[in-house]
Amino acid sequence: MARPIKETPILFGEDARRFKERMKEHRRISSKERAEMKSIYEAVMSVADFR
């Protein structure tokens, strides 16, 4: 039987500040990475069955 998922802890202080700053960062990805991500997405969607 599966275990219940624990509640996500709330961040305070320095941890919260670092998390907030990290969320503002925008990481650039190369066209090669983007193409690889797209091919993986298309492969997953081709076998996925959403009923």
Side-chain angles (χ1 to χ4, degrees):
M1 189 163 104
R3 295 184 197 170
I5 298 173
K6 294 181 182 179
E7 191 172 320
T8 304
I10 299 172
L11 297 177
F12 295 100
E14 186 64 22
D15 290 332
R17 187 196 63 74
R18 277 195 307 259
F19 179 80
K20 190 174 179 181
E21 289 301 314
R22 190 99 189 258
M23 291 296 103
K24 290 180 183 178
E25 293 176 9
H26 295 273
R27 185 177 151 249
R28 299 277 182 195
I29 61 173
S30 68
S31 57
K32 182 180 177 183
E33 285 178 300
R34 186 178 304 272
E36 183 179 347
M37 290 168 66
K38 186 175 181 180
S39 69
I40 292 169
Y41 168 79
E42 289 171 351
V44 170
M45 293 307 289
S46 71
V47 297
D49 184 20
F50 299 107
R51 290 185 191 187

